[in-house]
mmCIF file of all heavy atoms in Angstrom:
data_model
loop_
_atom_site.group_PDB
_atom_site.id
_atom_site.type_symbol
_atom_site.label_atom_id
_atom_site.label_comp_id
_atom_site.label_asym_id
_atom_site.label_seq_id
_atom_site.Cartn_x
_atom_site.Cartn_y
_atom_site.Cartn_z
ATOM 1 N N VAL A 1 50.605 42.263 98.017
ATOM 2 C CA VAL A 1 50.920 40.846 97.760
ATOM 3 C C VAL A 1 50.078 40.493 96.530
ATOM 4 O O VAL A 1 50.544 39.776 95.789
ATOM 5 C CB VAL A 1 50.455 40.029 99.019
ATOM 6 C CG1 VAL A 1 50.447 38.514 98.590
ATOM 7 C CG2 VAL A 1 51.473 40.339 100.129
ATOM 8 N N ALA A 2 48.776 40.874 96.398
ATOM 9 C CA ALA A 2 48.027 40.621 95.250
ATOM 10 C C ALA A 2 48.672 41.138 93.962
ATOM 11 O O ALA A 2 48.591 40.573 92.988
ATOM 12 C CB ALA A 2 46.669 41.206 95.394
ATOM 13 N N ALA A 3 49.231 42.428 94.023
ATOM 14 C CA ALA A 3 49.809 43.068 92.919
ATOM 15 C C ALA A 3 50.905 42.221 92.426
ATOM 16 O O ALA A 3 51.179 42.099 91.154
ATOM 17 C CB ALA A 3 50.191 44.547 93.297
ATOM 18 N N THR A 4 51.809 41.747 93.313
ATOM 19 C CA THR A 4 53.042 40.941 92.889
ATOM 20 C C THR A 4 52.604 39.750 92.041
ATOM 21 O O THR A 4 53.371 39.304 91.271
ATOM 22 C CB THR A 4 53.957 40.609 94.099
ATOM 23 O OG1 THR A 4 53.115 39.822 95.092
ATOM 24 C CG2 THR A 4 54.334 41.900 94.843
ATOM 25 N N GLN A 5 51.490 39.178 92.484
ATOM 26 C CA GLN A 5 51.100 37.936 91.689
ATOM 27 C C GLN A 5 50.700 38.155 90.319
ATOM 28 O O GLN A 5 50.707 37.256 89.540
ATOM 29 C CB GLN A 5 49.927 37.334 92.567
ATOM 30 C CG GLN A 5 50.381 36.764 93.842
ATOM 31 C CD GLN A 5 49.360 35.696 94.516
ATOM 32 O OE1 GLN A 5 48.771 34.920 93.672
ATOM 33 N NE2 GLN A 5 49.177 35.731 95.756
ATOM 34 N N PHE A 6 50.428 39.354 90.070
ATOM 35 C CA PHE A 6 50.111 39.799 88.512
ATOM 36 C C PHE A 6 51.561 40.068 87.815
ATOM 37 O O PHE A 6 51.533 40.137 86.620
ATOM 38 C CB PHE A 6 49.243 41.081 88.449
ATOM 39 C CG PHE A 6 47.813 40.791 88.640
ATOM 40 C CD1 PHE A 6 47.143 41.017 89.921
ATOM 41 C CD2 PHE A 6 47.021 40.106 87.711
ATOM 42 C CE1 PHE A 6 45.843 40.790 90.036
ATOM 43 C CE2 PHE A 6 45.714 39.764 87.813
ATOM 44 C CZ PHE A 6 45.124 40.179 89.082
ATOM 45 N N GLY A 7 52.547 40.361 88.654
ATOM 46 C CA GLY A 7 53.861 40.760 87.957
ATOM 47 C C GLY A 7 53.697 42.117 87.410
ATOM 48 O O GLY A 7 54.433 42.430 86.533
ATOM 49 N N ILE A 8 52.890 42.978 88.034
ATOM 50 C CA ILE A 8 52.656 44.339 87.487
ATOM 51 C C ILE A 8 52.613 45.284 88.694
ATOM 52 O O ILE A 8 52.553 44.810 89.807
ATOM 53 C CB ILE A 8 51.446 44.577 86.731
ATOM 54 C CG1 ILE A 8 50.195 44.219 87.497
ATOM 55 C CG2 ILE A 8 51.452 43.792 85.367
ATOM 56 C CD1 ILE A 8 48.940 44.496 86.786
ATOM 57 N N ASP A 9 52.931 46.528 88.377
ATOM 58 C CA ASP A 9 52.854 47.596 89.481
ATOM 59 C C ASP A 9 51.474 48.169 89.494
ATOM 60 O O ASP A 9 50.988 48.860 88.538
ATOM 61 C CB ASP A 9 53.806 48.647 89.268
ATOM 62 C CG ASP A 9 53.915 49.722 90.336
ATOM 63 O OD1 ASP A 9 53.087 49.591 91.316
ATOM 64 O OD2 ASP A 9 54.798 50.496 90.288
ATOM 65 N N ILE A 10 50.559 47.867 90.506
ATOM 66 C CA ILE A 10 49.349 48.275 90.548
ATOM 67 C C ILE A 10 49.195 49.803 90.582
ATOM 68 O O ILE A 10 48.160 50.421 90.041
ATOM 69 C CB ILE A 10 48.524 47.584 91.813
ATOM 70 C CG1 ILE A 10 48.354 46.163 91.647
ATOM 71 C CG2 ILE A 10 47.153 48.227 91.977
ATOM 72 C CD1 ILE A 10 47.434 45.667 90.526
ATOM 73 N N SER A 11 50.228 50.480 91.066
ATOM 74 C CA SER A 11 50.154 51.908 91.066
ATOM 75 C C SER A 11 50.116 52.502 89.742
ATOM 76 O O SER A 11 49.663 53.689 89.438
ATOM 77 C CB SER A 11 51.462 52.395 91.813
ATOM 78 O OG SER A 11 52.600 52.092 91.166
ATOM 79 N N ASP A 12 50.584 51.717 88.715
ATOM 80 C CA ASP A 12 50.495 52.238 87.386
ATOM 81 C C ASP A 12 49.017 52.392 86.966
ATOM 82 O O ASP A 12 48.751 53.090 85.922
ATOM 83 C CB ASP A 12 51.177 51.344 86.357
ATOM 84 C CG ASP A 12 52.612 51.207 86.549
ATOM 85 O OD1 ASP A 12 53.163 52.183 87.146
ATOM 86 O OD2 ASP A 12 53.259 50.230 86.185
ATOM 87 N N LEU A 13 48.034 51.738 87.633
ATOM 88 C CA LEU A 13 46.585 51.847 87.300
ATOM 89 C C LEU A 13 45.896 53.074 87.839
ATOM 90 O O LEU A 13 44.829 53.286 87.901
ATOM 91 C CB LEU A 13 45.985 50.562 87.755
ATOM 92 C CG LEU A 13 46.345 49.256 87.050
ATOM 93 C CD1 LEU A 13 45.710 48.065 87.629
ATOM 94 C CD2 LEU A 13 46.339 49.306 85.513
ATOM 95 N N GLY A 14 46.823 53.826 88.556
ATOM 96 C CA GLY A 14 46.254 55.147 89.111
ATOM 97 C C GLY A 14 45.595 54.928 90.448
ATOM 98 O O GLY A 14 44.853 55.739 90.933
ATOM 99 N N GLY A 15 45.768 53.707 91.092
ATOM 100 C CA GLY A 15 45.056 53.441 92.323
ATOM 101 C C GLY A 15 43.589 53.183 92.246
ATOM 102 O O GLY A 15 42.861 53.218 93.249
ATOM 103 N N ALA A 16 42.953 53.022 91.026
ATOM 104 C CA ALA A 16 41.600 53.113 90.978
ATOM 105 C C ALA A 16 41.128 51.790 90.381
ATOM 106 O O ALA A 16 39.937 51.576 90.399
ATOM 107 C CB ALA A 16 41.091 54.222 89.895
ATOM 108 N N ALA A 17 41.948 50.891 90.203
ATOM 109 C CA ALA A 17 41.493 49.526 89.783
ATOM 110 C C ALA A 17 41.172 48.571 91.056
ATOM 111 O O ALA A 17 41.692 48.732 91.986
ATOM 112 C CB ALA A 17 42.478 48.878 88.887
ATOM 113 N N GLY A 18 40.212 47.740 90.799
ATOM 114 C CA GLY A 18 39.793 46.829 91.826
ATOM 115 C C GLY A 18 40.331 45.416 91.462
ATOM 116 O O GLY A 18 40.608 45.261 90.344
ATOM 117 N N ILE A 19 40.515 44.477 92.514
ATOM 118 C CA ILE A 19 40.772 43.194 92.065
ATOM 119 C C ILE A 19 39.726 42.390 92.741
ATOM 120 O O ILE A 19 39.327 42.554 93.912
ATOM 121 C CB ILE A 19 42.164 42.849 92.741
ATOM 122 C CG1 ILE A 19 43.288 43.575 92.078
ATOM 123 C CG2 ILE A 19 42.526 41.369 92.633
ATOM 124 C CD1 ILE A 19 44.691 43.191 92.607
ATOM 125 N N ALA A 20 39.261 41.369 91.857
ATOM 126 C CA ALA A 20 38.273 40.521 92.414
ATOM 127 C C ALA A 20 38.903 39.047 92.460
ATOM 128 O O ALA A 20 39.447 38.637 91.546
ATOM 129 C CB ALA A 20 37.106 40.442 91.382
ATOM 130 N N TRP A 21 38.804 38.464 93.641
ATOM 131 C CA TRP A 21 39.223 37.092 93.739
ATOM 132 C C TRP A 21 38.094 36.170 93.545
ATOM 133 O O TRP A 21 36.979 36.490 94.013
ATOM 134 C CB TRP A 21 39.677 36.814 95.277
ATOM 135 C CG TRP A 21 41.135 37.404 95.595
ATOM 136 C CD1 TRP A 21 41.276 38.750 95.782
ATOM 137 C CD2 TRP A 21 42.235 36.752 95.592
ATOM 138 N NE1 TRP A 21 42.624 38.962 95.941
ATOM 139 C CE2 TRP A 21 43.315 37.781 95.909
ATOM 140 C CE3 TRP A 21 42.684 35.455 95.410
ATOM 141 C CZ2 TRP A 21 44.637 37.323 96.081
ATOM 142 C CZ3 TRP A 21 43.970 35.060 95.740
ATOM 143 C CH2 TRP A 21 44.941 36.115 95.905
ATOM 144 N N SER A 22 38.295 35.038 92.784
ATOM 145 C CA SER A 22 37.264 34.217 92.352
ATOM 146 C C SER A 22 37.647 32.794 92.638
ATOM 147 O O SER A 22 38.795 32.423 92.436
ATOM 148 C CB SER A 22 36.904 34.405 90.861
ATOM 149 O OG SER A 22 35.719 33.858 90.568
ATOM 150 N N VAL A 23 36.631 31.995 93.066
ATOM 151 C CA VAL A 23 36.812 30.602 93.284
ATOM 152 C C VAL A 23 36.526 29.723 92.236
ATOM 153 O O VAL A 23 35.428 29.818 91.576
ATOM 154 C CB VAL A 23 36.071 30.235 94.567
ATOM 155 C CG1 VAL A 23 36.198 28.756 94.946
ATOM 156 C CG2 VAL A 23 36.464 30.977 95.767
ATOM 157 N N PHE A 24 37.424 28.810 91.768
ATOM 158 C CA PHE A 24 37.189 27.879 90.781
ATOM 159 C C PHE A 24 37.261 26.480 91.121
ATOM 160 O O PHE A 24 38.115 26.206 91.972
ATOM 161 C CB PHE A 24 38.196 28.300 89.485
ATOM 162 C CG PHE A 24 37.927 29.578 88.830
ATOM 163 C CD1 PHE A 24 38.384 30.646 89.441
ATOM 164 C CD2 PHE A 24 37.178 29.640 87.795
ATOM 165 C CE1 PHE A 24 38.189 31.996 88.812
ATOM 166 C CE2 PHE A 24 36.915 30.755 87.209
ATOM 167 C CZ PHE A 24 37.427 31.988 87.640
ATOM 168 N N PRO A 25 36.636 25.583 90.545
ATOM 169 C CA PRO A 25 36.592 24.136 90.934
ATOM 170 C C PRO A 25 37.819 23.509 90.478
ATOM 171 O O PRO A 25 37.749 22.605 89.647
ATOM 172 C CB PRO A 25 35.289 23.595 90.294
ATOM 173 C CG PRO A 25 35.161 24.444 89.043
ATOM 174 C CD PRO A 25 35.675 25.774 89.345
ATOM 175 N N MET A 26 38.956 23.860 91.037
ATOM 176 C CA MET A 26 40.182 23.181 90.779
ATOM 177 C C MET A 26 41.211 23.207 91.821
ATOM 178 O O MET A 26 40.964 24.125 92.650
ATOM 179 C CB MET A 26 40.924 23.930 89.447
ATOM 180 C CG MET A 26 41.026 25.363 89.654
ATOM 181 S SD MET A 26 41.782 26.008 88.138
ATOM 182 C CE MET A 26 40.430 25.984 87.032
ATOM 183 N N ASP A 27 42.078 22.321 91.950
ATOM 184 C CA ASP A 27 43.000 22.284 93.137
ATOM 185 C C ASP A 27 44.099 23.116 92.985
ATOM 186 O O ASP A 27 44.521 23.764 93.847
ATOM 187 C CB ASP A 27 43.434 20.838 93.501
ATOM 188 C CG ASP A 27 42.420 19.873 93.769
ATOM 189 O OD1 ASP A 27 41.393 20.361 94.471
ATOM 190 O OD2 ASP A 27 42.425 18.689 93.464
ATOM 191 N N ASP A 28 44.580 23.275 91.688
ATOM 192 C CA ASP A 28 45.767 24.183 91.531
ATOM 193 C C ASP A 28 45.228 25.531 90.807
ATOM 194 O O ASP A 28 44.887 25.409 89.646
ATOM 195 C CB ASP A 28 46.729 23.461 90.547
ATOM 196 C CG ASP A 28 47.291 22.211 91.136
ATOM 197 O OD1 ASP A 28 47.540 22.270 92.384
ATOM 198 O OD2 ASP A 28 47.327 21.182 90.516
ATOM 199 N N PRO A 29 45.371 26.643 91.566
ATOM 200 C CA PRO A 29 44.898 27.821 91.046
ATOM 201 C C PRO A 29 45.636 28.262 89.776
ATOM 202 O O PRO A 29 46.856 28.123 89.737
ATOM 203 C CB PRO A 29 45.041 28.787 92.236
ATOM 204 C CG PRO A 29 46.072 28.202 92.988
ATOM 205 C CD PRO A 29 45.906 26.845 92.867
ATOM 206 N N VAL A 30 45.019 29.010 89.049
ATOM 207 C CA VAL A 30 45.642 29.698 87.806
ATOM 208 C C VAL A 30 45.229 31.025 87.748
ATOM 209 O O VAL A 30 44.199 31.449 88.211
ATOM 210 C CB VAL A 30 45.241 28.881 86.442
ATOM 211 C CG1 VAL A 30 45.804 27.514 86.538
ATOM 212 C CG2 VAL A 30 43.761 28.958 86.269
ATOM 213 N N LEU A 31 46.039 31.897 87.008
ATOM 214 C CA LEU A 31 45.757 33.308 86.791
ATOM 215 C C LEU A 31 44.655 33.465 85.731
ATOM 216 O O LEU A 31 44.786 32.841 84.688
ATOM 217 C CB LEU A 31 46.887 34.038 86.276
ATOM 218 C CG LEU A 31 46.792 35.569 86.118
ATOM 219 C CD1 LEU A 31 46.371 36.210 87.570
ATOM 220 C CD2 LEU A 31 48.028 36.183 85.654
ATOM 221 N N ILE A 32 43.415 34.024 85.939
ATOM 222 C CA ILE A 32 42.380 34.126 85.024
ATOM 223 C C ILE A 32 42.522 35.490 84.371
ATOM 224 O O ILE A 32 42.458 36.439 84.969
ATOM 225 C CB ILE A 32 41.071 34.043 85.771
ATOM 226 C CG1 ILE A 32 41.002 32.746 86.716
ATOM 227 C CG2 ILE A 32 39.919 34.046 84.847
ATOM 228 C CD1 ILE A 32 41.278 31.412 85.879
ATOM 229 N N PRO A 33 42.554 35.403 82.969
ATOM 230 C CA PRO A 33 42.539 36.781 82.329
ATOM 231 C C PRO A 33 41.358 37.573 82.599
ATOM 232 O O PRO A 33 40.251 36.934 82.679
ATOM 233 C CB PRO A 33 42.525 36.314 80.792
ATOM 234 C CG PRO A 33 43.149 34.920 80.804
ATOM 235 C CD PRO A 33 42.527 34.212 82.095
ATOM 236 N N ASP A 34 41.462 38.912 82.702
ATOM 237 C CA ASP A 34 40.325 39.725 83.225
ATOM 238 C C ASP A 34 39.254 39.867 82.109
ATOM 239 O O ASP A 34 38.232 40.299 82.414
ATOM 240 C CB ASP A 34 40.948 41.134 83.685
ATOM 241 C CG ASP A 34 41.516 41.857 82.444
ATOM 242 O OD1 ASP A 34 41.789 41.218 81.382
ATOM 243 O OD2 ASP A 34 41.823 42.998 82.585
ATOM 244 N N SER A 35 39.612 39.385 80.862
ATOM 245 C CA SER A 35 38.562 39.521 79.883
ATOM 246 C C SER A 35 37.761 38.146 79.605
ATOM 247 O O SER A 35 36.889 38.122 78.752
ATOM 248 C CB SER A 35 39.193 39.927 78.604
ATOM 249 O OG SER A 35 40.096 38.960 78.196
ATOM 250 N N ASN A 36 38.000 37.129 80.419
ATOM 251 C CA ASN A 36 37.518 35.793 80.230
ATOM 252 C C ASN A 36 36.284 35.601 81.008
ATOM 253 O O ASN A 36 36.336 34.970 82.110
ATOM 254 C CB ASN A 36 38.595 34.683 80.535
ATOM 255 C CG ASN A 36 38.177 33.381 79.889
ATOM 256 O OD1 ASN A 36 36.932 33.198 79.682
ATOM 257 N ND2 ASN A 36 39.016 32.686 79.423
ATOM 258 N N LYS A 37 35.119 36.096 80.622
ATOM 259 C CA LYS A 37 33.904 35.898 81.400
ATOM 260 C C LYS A 37 33.340 34.559 81.422
ATOM 261 O O LYS A 37 32.749 34.082 82.388
ATOM 262 C CB LYS A 37 32.742 36.891 80.809
ATOM 263 C CG LYS A 37 32.306 36.452 79.515
ATOM 264 C CD LYS A 37 31.173 37.447 79.111
ATOM 265 C CE LYS A 37 30.591 37.055 77.674
ATOM 266 N NZ LYS A 37 29.322 37.971 77.383
ATOM 267 N N GLU A 38 33.764 33.740 80.492
ATOM 268 C CA GLU A 38 33.243 32.387 80.473
ATOM 269 C C GLU A 38 33.836 31.444 81.664
ATOM 270 O O GLU A 38 33.094 30.765 82.280
ATOM 271 C CB GLU A 38 33.644 31.580 79.152
ATOM 272 C CG GLU A 38 32.903 32.132 77.915
ATOM 273 C CD GLU A 38 31.310 32.108 78.124
ATOM 274 O OE1 GLU A 38 30.868 31.136 78.652
ATOM 275 O OE2 GLU A 38 30.794 33.072 77.802
ATOM 276 N N LEU A 39 35.149 31.766 82.114
ATOM 277 C CA LEU A 39 35.671 31.065 83.116
ATOM 278 C C LEU A 39 35.035 31.465 84.445
ATOM 279 O O LEU A 39 34.839 30.841 85.445
ATOM 280 C CB LEU A 39 37.151 31.322 83.334
ATOM 281 C CG LEU A 39 38.043 30.514 82.224
ATOM 282 C CD1 LEU A 39 39.427 30.962 82.376
ATOM 283 C CD2 LEU A 39 37.926 28.993 82.446
ATOM 284 N N LEU A 40 34.598 32.805 84.554
ATOM 285 C CA LEU A 40 33.940 33.255 85.711
ATOM 286 C C LEU A 40 32.654 32.492 85.987
ATOM 287 O O LEU A 40 32.301 32.219 87.246
ATOM 288 C CB LEU A 40 33.708 34.798 85.634
ATOM 289 C CG LEU A 40 32.863 35.394 86.733
ATOM 290 C CD1 LEU A 40 33.775 35.309 87.975
ATOM 291 C CD2 LEU A 40 32.560 36.893 86.336
ATOM 292 N N LYS A 41 31.955 32.077 84.948
ATOM 293 C CA LYS A 41 30.683 31.402 85.176
ATOM 294 C C LYS A 41 30.854 30.072 85.681
ATOM 295 O O LYS A 41 29.960 29.431 86.124
ATOM 296 C CB LYS A 41 30.003 31.259 83.835
ATOM 297 C CG LYS A 41 29.540 32.599 83.227
ATOM 298 C CD LYS A 41 28.876 32.565 81.825
ATOM 299 C CE LYS A 41 28.423 33.846 81.318
ATOM 300 N NZ LYS A 41 27.823 33.731 79.977
ATOM 301 N N GLU A 42 32.161 29.640 85.764
ATOM 302 C CA GLU A 42 32.344 28.214 86.385
ATOM 303 C C GLU A 42 32.487 28.226 87.828
ATOM 304 O O GLU A 42 32.832 27.250 88.391
ATOM 305 C CB GLU A 42 33.628 27.559 85.674
ATOM 306 C CG GLU A 42 33.523 27.330 84.076
ATOM 307 C CD GLU A 42 34.700 26.848 83.466
ATOM 308 O OE1 GLU A 42 35.648 26.399 84.160
ATOM 309 O OE2 GLU A 42 34.656 26.754 82.294
ATOM 310 N N CYS A 43 32.421 29.407 88.472
ATOM 311 C CA CYS A 43 32.632 29.465 89.873
ATOM 312 C C CYS A 43 31.749 28.498 90.643
ATOM 313 O O CYS A 43 30.629 28.264 90.278
ATOM 314 C CB CYS A 43 32.318 30.833 90.412
ATOM 315 S SG CYS A 43 33.579 32.031 89.967
ATOM 316 N N HIS A 44 32.228 28.003 91.783
ATOM 317 C CA HIS A 44 31.441 27.110 92.553
ATOM 318 C C HIS A 44 30.310 27.990 93.272
ATOM 319 O O HIS A 44 30.718 28.781 94.106
ATOM 320 C CB HIS A 44 32.182 26.320 93.577
ATOM 321 C CG HIS A 44 31.455 25.368 94.335
ATOM 322 N ND1 HIS A 44 31.284 24.046 94.107
ATOM 323 C CD2 HIS A 44 30.804 25.475 95.523
ATOM 324 C CE1 HIS A 44 30.825 23.455 95.034
ATOM 325 N NE2 HIS A 44 30.214 24.356 95.818
ATOM 326 N N VAL A 45 29.075 27.723 93.035
ATOM 327 C CA VAL A 45 28.119 28.514 93.712
ATOM 328 C C VAL A 45 26.989 27.730 94.254
ATOM 329 O O VAL A 45 26.639 26.562 93.776
ATOM 330 C CB VAL A 45 27.391 29.613 92.574
ATOM 331 C CG1 VAL A 45 28.485 30.610 92.021
ATOM 332 C CG2 VAL A 45 26.770 28.929 91.483
ATOM 333 N N GLU A 46 26.154 28.354 95.230
ATOM 334 C CA GLU A 46 25.125 27.719 95.788
ATOM 335 C C GLU A 46 23.899 28.419 96.177
ATOM 336 O O GLU A 46 23.110 28.878 95.330
ATOM 337 C CB GLU A 46 25.493 26.764 96.938
ATOM 338 C CG GLU A 46 26.467 25.600 96.630
ATOM 339 C CD GLU A 46 26.719 24.750 97.683
ATOM 340 O OE1 GLU A 46 26.011 24.687 98.697
ATOM 341 O OE2 GLU A 46 27.723 23.907 97.538
#
């Protein structure tokens, strides 16, 4: 299910890639580019 949300075949990555789910302070989720570390820093943390 996670793979289909990327619109890619995860098997093409050789079965070795991980997927990280991340929480962002927004009501409508968006796909976060894997190279965008600045958005990762906006995660809700405590």
Side-chain angles (χ1 to χ4, degrees):
V1 171
T4 61
Q5 295 201 29
F6 280 105
I8 59 176
D9 186 352
I10 293 295
S11 63
D12 290 342
L13 301 176
I19 292 181
W21 285 78
S22 193
V23 178
F24 291 82
M26 56 182 69
D27 295 328
D28 298 319
V30 296
L31 184 64
I32 307 301
D34 62 350
S35 61
N36 197 329
K37 67 176 182 178
E38 292 304 318
L39 284 176
L40 179 62
K41 292 179 181 179
E42 296 177 7
C43 289
H44 183 96
V45 297
E46 290 187 20

